[in-house]
Amino acid sequence: MLKINIHNVPFYRFSGLGSYYRLAHFVSTRVGGVSEGGQFALNMGFMPADTTTNVLTNRDLLLKELNIPLTSVVLGEQKHTTNIAVVTAEDMGRRAMDRESRLPATDALITAVPGVCLMVLAADCVPILLYDTEKRVIAAVHAGWKGTVGRIVEKVVERMRQEFGCDPKDIRAGIGPSIGPCCYEVGEDVAEVALENIGDLGTCVKKNEETGKYILDLWEANRLQLIHVGLYSGKIEMARMCTCCHGDEFFSHRASKGDTGRFAAGIMVREK
Ligand SMILES: [Zn+2]
C-alpha cells in the first residue's frame, strides 16, 4: 500500500489495484477527523459512542479528497455473515447519511455500476477490495474470522463470475490492514472451526507450542482463498499492517478493548 499524505486527511491506496483516474479507492486511517475518546479521530462508522454529526463530518473530510460524493456511498449492515449483495444505482446513498438505510445483514458488496462507491468498515476484521479490470466490476468485503472461515471472499469471486461473467484471472485484490498473525491468538474452539472450514487451504492456523494457543492468520487465509478461486497470486496485494500493533494509525477492537471506532475501505469505478 501507498500512503497518500498530501492532504489534511491521510489515506492508503493499494499500489496495484487500478489507476487513480479509472478507479477511486482508499483505506482510511484514524488520523484527521473530529471524533473524540475511543473514536478519536476519523471514526467512519455510526455507533452509539459517537455522534452522527461527527461521523458525517469525518466521511465528508475523507471523501472530498478523493472526489467521491457521499451520496454515492453504499454500506451494508455488517453482521459477520457471508451474505453478499449486488448493488445497483438505486442503492446509492444507503447508510451513507444514516444508519437505518443500510443493506440488512450484508458483509460483501458487488457492483458493476460506475459512480457507486462500495464501502466496508473495520477495526481488526479484514477489509478486502476487488477489481475486475476487464469487466470493471468491483467488490468490497468485510471478513472477520467468521467471514474468513465462511470463505466469504471466495464466494464473492464466484458471485462476480456468475452474475457478471468475470474471469478470476482479470481480478485484482487488495487485502487491507487488520489484526495480524503477530497478535491474533484464538482459542481452541475458533481454531477447530477454522481447521474444519479452511484447513484444506494450507497453513493459516498454527499452534503456539509455548502458550498452547492458536494463531489464526487472516491475511493468509484470505489470500489462499483468492488463489483457490482462480486469482493470480501476483495480482493480490497484501497491506501486511496489523491494526492491533498500529493502534495510533488504525482502530483496533482488540488493542482498545472494544472502545474504538471504525476505519473504512472503499472502492468506486469512476464514470468516464
Ligand atoms: Zn500485531
Side-chain angles (χ1 to χ4, degrees):
M1 285 201 308
L2 295 170
K3 190 167 187 179
I4 311 298
N5 217 352
I6 49 174
H7 310 288
N8 296 322
V9 181
F11 60 90
Y12 282 91
R13 282 175 57 81
F14 291 103
S15 40
L17 203 57
S19 80
Y20 177 84
Y21 298 101
R22 289 177 68 86
L23 184 79
H25 82 277
F26 61 87
V27 176
S28 71
T29 73
R30 69 184 298 170
V31 178
V34 298
S35 299
E36 294 175 351
Q39 292 69 47
F40 181 82
L42 195 78
N43 171 39
M44 296 289 279
F46 295 124
M47 54 180 60
D50 202 355
T51 67
T52 301
T53 313
N54 282 349
V55 176
L56 290 178
T57 303
N58 292 339
R59 289 182 178 184
D60 199 50
L61 283 167
L62 175 76
L63 293 174
K64 74 180 182 202
E65 297 197 345
L66 287 127
N67 229 346
I68 298 173
L70 181 56
T71 47
S72 71
V73 170
V74 179
L75 294 107
E77 178 197 16
Q78 299 175 184
K79 297 283 274 182
H80 301 282
T81 67
T82 56
N83 299 343
I84 301 162
V86 174
V87 172
T88 63
E90 286 81 70
D91 295 316
M92 272 165 73
R94 293 187 71 171
R95 206 190 173 188
M97 266 85 73
D98 67 85
R99 191 187 172 89
E100 292 67 34
S101 59
R102 63 203 172 180
L103 294 158
T106 302
D107 285 83
L109 306 162
I110 301 174
T111 195
V113 184
V116 173
C117 179
L118 307 178
M119 196 158 104
V120 289
L121 304 170
D124 283 346
C125 293
V126 193
I128 303 165
L129 302 178
L130 303 171
Y131 177 42
D132 178 327
T133 51
E134 296 304 309
K135 296 277 195 318
R136 303 196 85 200
V137 174
I138 53 172
V141 185
H142 165 253
W145 79 263
K146 284 184 183 166
T148 300
V149 304
R151 303 176 85 120
I152 188 172
V153 81
E154 214 173 270
K155 290 174 180 165
V156 168
V157 175
E158 294 287 2
R159 188 76 181 271
M160 287 169 76
R161 199 209 300 251
Q162 287 164 11
E163 201 95 18
F164 300 104
C166 295
D167 182 343
K169 294 189 167 46
D170 297 327
I171 299 177
R172 298 180 190 180
I175 299 177
S178 76
I179 192 160
C182 41
C183 295
Y184 200 37
E185 258 191 6
V186 296
E188 204 163 351
D189 48 339
V190 173
E192 249 172 47
V193 182
L195 281 169
E196 200 174 300
N197 292 285
I198 55 172
D200 61 308
L201 291 172
T203 54
C204 26
V205 190
K206 294 188 191 104
K207 189 167 187 181
N208 182 337
E209 295 299 341
E210 279 173 31
T211 61
K213 292 264 192 176
Y214 292 83
I215 293 291
L216 177 54
D217 187 339
L218 297 173
W219 302 341
E220 188 65 0
N222 283 291
R223 191 183 75 88
L224 291 171
Q225 282 176 46
L226 289 168
I227 291 170
H228 185 249
V229 81
L231 269 74
Y232 286 127
S233 63
K235 290 189 178 181
I236 304 169
E237 188 174 342
M238 310 261 276
R240 293 191 187 283
M241 295 183 82
C242 173
T243 44
C244 194
C245 290
H246 296 93
D248 53 335
E249 193 162 25
F250 297 101
F251 293 108
S252 168
H253 194 269
R254 191 166 280 207
S256 47
K257 298 182 174 62
D259 181 23
T260 193
R262 298 284 181 274
F263 66 92
I267 186 164
M268 178 186 89
V269 168
R270 292 197 193 275
E271 288 166 291
K272 282 180 186 159

